[in-house]
Amino acid sequence: MANKSTSDGLLYHRIGHPFRREQNSSDPSPHSDSRESPLKTYLLGIIISILGNFLISISLNIQKYAHMRQSQSRGSKPYYYSFLWWGGVVIMGLGELGNFAAYGFAPASLIAPLGCVSVIASAIISVLFLKETLRASDIFGGTLAVAGTYLLVTFAPHTSIHITAHLVQRFAVSWQFLLYLFVEVIVFSVLLYLYKRRNMKHVVIVMLLVALLASLTVISVKAVSGMITESIKGEMQLTYPIFYVMVVVMVASCAFQIKFLTKAMKMFNATEVVPINFVFFTASAILAGIVFYQEFSGLALLNIFMFLLGCLLSCLGVFLIARDRPKIQTPEQTFIAMETIPGKTSKEKVQPDDTSNTYGSLAAKLMCNRQGPQDDS
């Protein structure tokens, strides 16, 4: 019986089993401390994720303010010469580092939806410091997002999985993940064919490509972060080849994800890209956590329903906040748009008629510095 109790305690320490064996409080156990740590670890991951997303929202507004200052000052240096802009980049790096660390403490299906915190905080900061207009949809969307975040934190899986190299290897060769990876490769290939060969530049196609890559990013980030966390705690995991395989997958998926996301921002408005990317990324992260890390295993049906409801409310809130955001005000233009001239719709008709009194005045100004015989050449 003693051996069985010890093995059960070790199993819980390794994979964070949700069910705890009842034991006499007077019986000493080498794993008694680890039995109390999963909830603390879970809450630590949530706090780190929220702080990281809050830093990201601050950095976005700092960079936005730097761009506004650069656009309003004529003849100024490019934005990357601004210390303010670089300060925003550094803060964003700290926020992303916090999100990376949070995957090592809490389920991936919870950390990804908490990205709505950055959207809410960014909207609040932009109103307070950048003097943007507070709309009714912002208030309603923020309320929905906060309610969804509460449901996510309350009903998400509370088990703390200790990510080890052996565990990642076992998950990577499971039939669920292999089937999931096969389907994802097929869908990604079809979407890439439509995007490259058929030239179908639809926002949904591009964002689906980003989401499919994001699922691999979430899996690899959690694996790398978890193994680093275990190594810091004393169980070295960095000597296993699977760690470096996951690092390569993480870097490659992030690079291609950023590539497609940048193209989407160039082709479509941010009001389309931001909410769609959040919804697709959240869905792919939850699916990756369910398939690879089996995070919903043993979770009650009510918890699953309320968790999905929280995701739906958060996504709807982000959509309302990001919808039709006011654009950055730029300085007054030094040219006249074609559509602002009554009756003029093309450049060929901008010059006055030859019967007008003003005909030739513009040409005279342009010709004053040119010499006679050379004008015909």
Side-chain angles (χ1 to χ4, degrees):
M1 293 298 292
N3 294 334
K4 186 177 186 301
S5 176
T6 303
S7 62
D8 288 349
L10 180 60
L11 178 62
Y12 181 85
H13 176 69
R14 287 285 186 179
I15 63 175
H17 199 282
F19 301 102
R20 296 168 52 182
R21 287 177 56 89
E22 296 294 332
Q23 63 176 7
N24 193 342
S25 59
S26 61
D27 295 337
S29 173
H31 306 289
S32 58
D33 293 336
S34 65
R35 291 175 184 271
E36 301 297 333
S37 62
L39 182 58
K40 296 179 181 179
T41 304
Y42 172 83
L43 294 177
L44 180 61
I46 294 176
I47 294 173
I48 293 176
S49 177
I50 291 176
L51 291 177
N53 284 296
F54 185 71
L55 289 177
I56 291 174
S57 64
I58 293 177
S59 70
L60 291 175
N61 282 274
I62 289 177
Q63 294 182 60
K64 184 176 181 179
Y65 179 70
H67 283 295
M68 292 174 62
R69 287 183 56 183
Q70 190 271 341
S71 63
Q72 291 173 358
S73 57
R74 298 181 179 180
S76 62
K77 296 181 180 180
Y79 63 89
Y80 47 81
Y81 282 92
S82 171
F83 288 102
L84 186 63
W85 184 83
W86 279 108
V89 172
V90 172
I91 295 176
M92 174 170 285
L94 293 176
E96 293 294 350
L97 183 62
N99 270 336
F100 173 80
Y103 278 101
F105 297 100
S109 56
L110 172 63
I111 299 300
L114 286 179
C116 66
V117 173
S118 64
V119 180
I120 301 172
S122 181
I124 296 175
I125 293 173
S126 64
V127 171
L128 295 178
F129 295 99
L130 299 182
K131 307 304 179 182
E132 291 188 0
T133 304
L134 180 63
R135 306 167 302 169
S137 60
D138 295 335
I139 299 176
F140 184 57
T143 304
L144 290 179
V146 170
T149 302
Y150 173 78
L151 294 179
L152 288 173
V153 174
T154 304
F155 295 98
H158 289 185
T159 55
S160 177
I161 301 179
H162 290 211
I163 302 299
T164 62
H166 292 294
L167 192 64
V168 174
Q169 290 175 354
R170 183 161 63 86
F171 286 159
V173 296
S174 62
W175 70 267
Q176 301 98 321
F177 175 68
L178 293 178
L179 179 61
Y180 171 79
L181 185 62
F182 176 76
V183 174
E184 180 169 307
V185 170
I186 296 298
V187 174
F188 186 86
S189 301
V190 172
L191 292 174
L192 192 61
Y193 172 78
L194 295 176
Y195 177 76
K196 291 288 187 180
R197 299 298 182 182
R198 296 295 181 178
N199 200 30
M200 297 180 63
K201 309 295 185 182
H202 196 276
V203 61
V204 174
I205 293 179
V206 181
M207 300 318 298
L208 279 175
L209 289 171
V210 175
L212 292 175
L213 291 169
S215 66
L216 295 179
T217 303
V218 169
I219 291 174
S220 57
V221 164
K222 183 171 178 61
V224 172
S225 178
M227 284 188 278
I228 291 177
T229 302
E230 290 298 311
S231 299
I232 294 175
K233 291 179 180 179
E235 297 185 15
M236 179 55 63
Q237 305 293 321
L238 308 186
T239 57
Y240 294 91
I242 190 63
F243 173 78
Y244 300 97
V245 171
M246 286 297 173
V247 169
V248 172
V249 173
M250 179 182 67
V251 174
S253 60
C254 282
F256 284 102
Q257 184 181 343
I258 293 173
K259 177 183 177 180
F260 284 110
L261 190 58
T262 302
K263 289 184 178 181
M265 293 297 292
K266 289 181 179 179
M267 292 187 295
F268 311 104
N269 295 327
T271 54
E272 295 177 277
V273 175
V274 171
I276 294 177
N277 179 58
F278 178 79
V279 172
F280 285 1
F281 174 80
T282 301
S284 65
I286 294 174
L287 189 59
I290 293 174
V291 174
F292 191 87
Y293 294 104
Q294 304 173 16
E295 293 177 345
F296 280 18
S297 178
L299 197 65
L301 185 61
L302 177 61
N303 288 54
I304 297 176
F305 174 78
M306 298 302 292
F307 178 84
L308 296 178
L309 178 61
C311 291
L312 178 62
L313 292 179
S314 298
C315 294
L316 183 58
V318 169
F319 174 78
L320 292 175
I321 294 174
R323 182 176 60 92
D324 299 331
R325 295 297 303 173
K327 297 182 179 180
I328 299 176
Q329 297 295 330
T330 56
E332 294 183 0
Q333 305 292 340
T334 57
F335 58 88
I336 302 176
M338 294 296 107
E339 60 271 12
T340 60
I341 304 177
K344 306 298 182 181
T345 58
S346 63
K347 293 187 292 186
E348 288 76 7
K349 297 182 181 181
V350 173
Q351 174 127 356
D353 299 331
D354 54 1
T355 58
S356 172
N357 294 330
T358 60
Y359 178 76
S361 58
L362 178 60
K365 292 180 180 179
L366 296 176
M367 300 285 290
C368 62
N369 294 327
R370 303 179 64 181
Q371 299 179 0
Q374 299 177 352
D375 292 342
D376 296 331
S377 55

